[in-house]
Amino acid sequence: MSTSYDVIIIGTGAGGGTLARHLAPSGKRILLLERGDWLTREPQNWSTSDVFIDNRYISDDTWYDADAKAFQPQIHYFVGGATKLYGAALYRLRAEDFGELTHHDGVSPAWPIGYDEMEPYYTLAEQRYQVHGARGEDPTEPHSSAPYPFPALSHEPRIQQLSDDLAAAGYHPFHAPCGVMLNEADMAFGACIRCGTCDGFPCLVHAKSDAEVLGVRPALQQPNVTLMTNARAVRLETDAAGGAVTGVVVEREGETETLASDIVVVSCGAANSAKLLLASANDRHPDGLANGSDQVGRNYMFHNSQAVLALSKEPNPTVFQKTLGVNDFYLKGKDVDYPLGNMQMIGKSAADMFKGEKPLETKLAPGFALRDVASHAVDFWLSTEDLPNPENRVTLAEDGNVRLAYSPSNNTAAKGLFHQLKSMLGHLGMHPDHLFPRHAYLKTTIPIAGVAHQAGTCRFGSDPATSVLDTNCRAHEVDNLYVVDTSFFPSIGAVNPALTAMANALRVGDHLKDRLGVRDTVAVPDVDPVGEDRTRT
Ligand SMILES: Cc1cc2nc3c(=O)[nH]c(=O)nc-3n(C[C@H](O)[C@H](O)[C@H](O)COP(=O)(O)OP(=O)(O)OC[C@H]3O[C@@H](n4cnc5c(N)ncnc54)[C@H](O)[C@@H]3O)c2cc1C
Ligand code: SF4
């Protein structure tokens, strides 16, 4: 065994990267293990065909479905994890999401902590990730102790028109919370150039609020923080009694080594964290580490999401489309008593993403050439809550890879949300009957949701019989083992999950500081690539 650390964090995404930056000023010896490498800055970052069609940044991992059929998950192994490619829509869960909610297909369970406990950490996460937004526009918005740190992103004219039309029809459109380092007041000083290749693309100019730029890089400014890339944790070893992790077995550059640490934090993403715990079974933990409850890997959720395309009567030349959201149907539909979900915009579809096949024009858009479809497309992302189901689960396949058994929930509500939007189009300057799934038009064969919003495989709770982690996200059965990625979610709500993972990592970070008896010894300066502090003279 080589050097011993105070804290090893496995995985550098929304959970792990955020925690690393939070613990960095403590002076404790912190090691970050990341199975991927730095994501190279290269022109292909912004190439639609490289990213969207050739899947340049998707791992070549093989997973298996319930029938043992192999598939390639849409997963990204880089410093910063999935946030390198994410859309940076940084939403808080609604306060109601922390309680029990009755849905069409069943009950979304209450969390063991309430929204009030999370609120200060949401505020801090919004500051760390430089979120732009406007309070008070969305009636479902939970209370907050501070304004957004940066002003809402302006709508481009077609989206402003959509917002006005929605408001005129009695809805409550709002400026979507967004983590891009854009300085609209003085573009010369902002890092973000407001381009059309953001959602699902890496940011070439490092202006997206991702966990590499705003988590790992600031953490590495401290001499007590070390990062090992291309270092894959394959097993956790425990002491003879099974009560503490004593070693993290890592594969790196063809070698295997075992690293020791007082505290071990797993943050590999929901599926891979479950995989690591299951692969760490030993005499004391025969069904997988910390799995006495048989809950590790269960309740995998990922949102019942649909990317859909409507056709504007006027052209839609919008470049950065993700500035608007609608939550009027989040807690209940118009004519039904159950929640339908969240509507938001998705990155604008571009002409080179289209299949360009003649039969499509006739089938989907009679009277429209596909180039007209591209120039008139308005792209929405509809998300309905996916309810936890113990049979939706990660297990280990024979070759040790992830086996994912999954069937969706709340299809009726998801359809309801789709039809709700369709029924509104006539009031929104769009062709009334034209709303189609985007994948009907686009070349990509991978449904965009894929495994992007995965959560829930190591739920937290107060009862060790029904949860893997306690309310501090510490494993009930292993004293020095924590999990801080989206695995801990007992339910996923219907808004994007990253800000909740970030806020929770900060909450767990404060607990770890207390446990380690440390205070911050240095201040890690907040990154200011937006340049909003500067005043031109
Ligand atoms: C295309 C796309 C768009 C998205 N858009 C949004 C959005 O707009 N808003 C939003 O809130 N969310 C969005 N998401 C989801 C969001 O990115 C994730 O919810 C979030 O990153 C999850 O954080 P995490 O810490 O759980 O996992 P990740 O961020 O995935 O981090 C896990 C890390 O662990 C590493 N790792 C895995 N296994 C090992 C191992 N054995 N050893 C060492 N390292 C390991 C991985 O390489 C990765 O770096 C999007 C995701 C995608 C893919
Ligand atoms: S420059 Fe701005 S809009 Fe373009 S990818 Fe980067 S963060 Fe997104």
Side-chain angles (χ1 to χ4, degrees):
M1 227 171 264
S2 46
T3 327
S4 179
Y5 296 90
D6 295 308
V7 184
I8 290 181
I9 302 172
I10 309 171
T12 60
T18 305
L19 179 66
R21 188 222 175 287
H22 199 54
L23 294 182
S26 68
K28 289 287 174 187
R29 287 158 307 161
I30 297 164
L31 174 65
L32 277 167
L33 293 174
E34 170 53 55
R35 72 175 282 172
D37 210 330
W38 297 97
L39 194 151
T40 306
R41 297 170 80 172
E42 51 185 4
Q44 290 93 328
N45 287 178
W46 279 348
S47 152
T48 303
S49 57
D50 282 288
V51 174
F52 198 77
I53 295 157
D54 298 338
N55 297 327
R56 183 174 180 83
Y57 302 108
I58 292 181
S59 104
D60 55 8
D61 234 5
T62 300
W63 292 4
Y64 301 91
D65 68 12
D67 301 321
K69 191 164 163 245
F71 69 99
Q72 187 188 7
Q74 192 203 17
I75 198 155
H76 311 281
Y77 297 138
F78 292 104
V79 176
T83 69
K84 286 309 294 172
L85 283 294
Y86 78 164
L90 291 175
Y91 282 78
R92 297 178 181 213
L93 284 172
R94 313 292 93 176
E96 291 83 351
D97 288 319
F98 288 78
E100 203 172 89
L101 272 179
T102 304
H103 283 253
H104 182 273
D105 280 8
V107 169
S108 167
W111 286 35
I113 60 171
Y115 172 76
D116 287 351
E117 203 166 320
M118 196 69 108
E119 196 288 327
Y121 296 104
Y122 273 128
T123 296
L124 185 56
E126 285 171 350
Q127 288 161 0
R128 293 268 158 93
Y129 284 90
Q130 309 203 6
V131 183
H132 292 246
R135 304 260 190 244
E137 296 178 342
D138 171 7
T140 70
E141 180 182 69
H143 69 84
S144 49
S145 52
Y148 278 106
F150 293 97
L153 301 184
S154 66
H155 298 311
E156 289 173 50
R158 181 64 188 89
I159 303 303
Q160 184 60 54
Q161 186 61 52
L162 173 60
S163 177
D164 294 346
D165 289 345
L166 281 162
Y171 302 108
H172 301 86
F174 56 90
H175 287 85
C178 198
V180 295
M181 301 171 204
L182 180 69
N183 182 351
E184 295 194 88
D186 199 344
M187 287 294 282
F189 285 95
C192 170
I193 61 162
R194 196 173 175 137
C195 67
T197 46
C198 192
D199 197 4
F201 295 79
C203 179
L204 178 56
V205 295
H206 276 192
K208 196 191 283 189
S209 299
D210 65 42
E212 176 205 336
V213 175
L214 296 182
V216 178
R217 283 178 183 255
L220 289 177
Q221 287 173 12
Q222 303 307 314
N224 51 305
V225 182
T226 308
L227 167 69
M228 283 184 191
T229 54
N230 300 306
R232 189 162 69 95
V234 290
R235 252 181 82 74
L236 304 179
E237 293 175 344
T238 68
D239 59 12
V245 176
T246 50
V248 180
V249 183
V250 180
E251 282 180 2
R252 190 173 174 232
E253 292 165 3
E255 305 285 323
T256 301
E257 60 182 317
T258 302
L259 304 162
S261 174
D262 291 345
I263 305 273
V264 173
V265 183
V266 173
S267 192
C268 302
N272 278 306
S273 286
K275 175 186 168 188
L276 182 60
L277 298 188
L278 293 172
S280 304
N282 61 25
D283 288 349
R284 292 287 168 174
H285 298 271
D287 298 320
L289 191 56
N291 196 21
S293 61
D294 188 31
Q295 292 299 303
V296 172
R298 293 193 185 269
N299 301 301
Y300 178 98
M301 301 168 277
F302 76 79
H303 279 147
N304 196 330
S305 295
Q306 316 164 69
V308 294
L309 187 152
L311 283 180
S312 172
K313 287 184 176 159
E314 298 299 320
N316 176 19
T318 307
V319 176
F320 187 89
Q321 195 168 239
K322 291 193 57 146
T323 55
L324 180 143
V326 176
N327 272 336
D328 290 86
F329 316 103
Y330 194 92
L331 295 170
K332 73 184 272 315
K334 229 175 187 171
D335 305 315
V336 294
D337 254 353
Y338 51 82
L340 298 186
N342 162 270
M343 294 179 180
Q344 59 185 271
M345 313 307 293
I346 192 170
K348 174 100 175 64
S349 53
D352 46 0
M353 296 176 181
F354 281 74
K355 286 176 177 157
E357 290 161 13
K358 191 74 188 161
L360 258 187
E361 299 178 23
T362 329
K363 187 169 156 250
L364 294 178
F368 263 87
L370 276 176
R371 67 171 180 281
D372 298 327
V373 174
S375 62
H376 288 69
V378 182
D379 311 79
F380 293 88
W381 177 253
L382 309 179
S383 283
T384 297
E385 179 160 350
D386 180 20
L387 298 175
N389 169 358
E391 299 313 315
N392 285 347
R393 63 185 298 203
V394 171
T395 51
L396 295 185
E398 275 173 18
D399 63 2
N401 277 322
V402 167
R403 182 165 182 264
L404 182 59
Y406 179 77
S407 12
S409 64
N410 268 341
N411 279 339
T412 304
K415 277 186 199 143
L417 193 60
F418 177 90
H419 288 296
Q420 178 61 52
L421 177 59
K422 197 168 179 184
S423 73
M424 292 154 63
L425 295 177
H427 297 289
L428 306 177
M430 304 199 208
H431 289 277
D433 296 319
H434 194 100
L435 190 66
F436 281 97
R438 273 217 321 186
H439 61 76
Y441 278 111
L442 306 190
K443 286 176 192 153
T444 180
T445 51
I446 297 180
I448 187 141
V451 296
H453 287 192
Q454 57 180 284
T457 56
C458 301
R459 49 161 53 174
F460 78 154
S462 7
D463 182 357
T466 55
S467 55
V468 178
L469 309 171
D470 71 11
T471 52
N472 290 318
C473 289
R474 185 185 70 84
H476 287 296
E477 297 164 38
V478 186
D479 179 54
N480 63 346
L481 175 64
Y482 291 79
V483 181
V484 297
D485 53 30
T486 53
S487 303
F488 82 97
F489 285 35
S491 67
I492 193 171
V495 288
N496 319 48
L499 190 75
T500 299
M502 293 158 174
N504 184 61
L506 296 170
R507 187 182 69 89
V508 175
D510 273 0
H511 160 79
L512 288 176
K513 284 183 185 177
D514 287 347
R515 176 172 170 156
L516 292 163
V518 290
R519 287 164 170 242
D520 293 354
T521 52
V522 288
V524 177
D526 275 327
V527 183
D528 175 36
V530 186
E532 284 192 342
D533 292 345
R534 295 171 220 225
T535 314
R536 279 198 188 204
T537 51

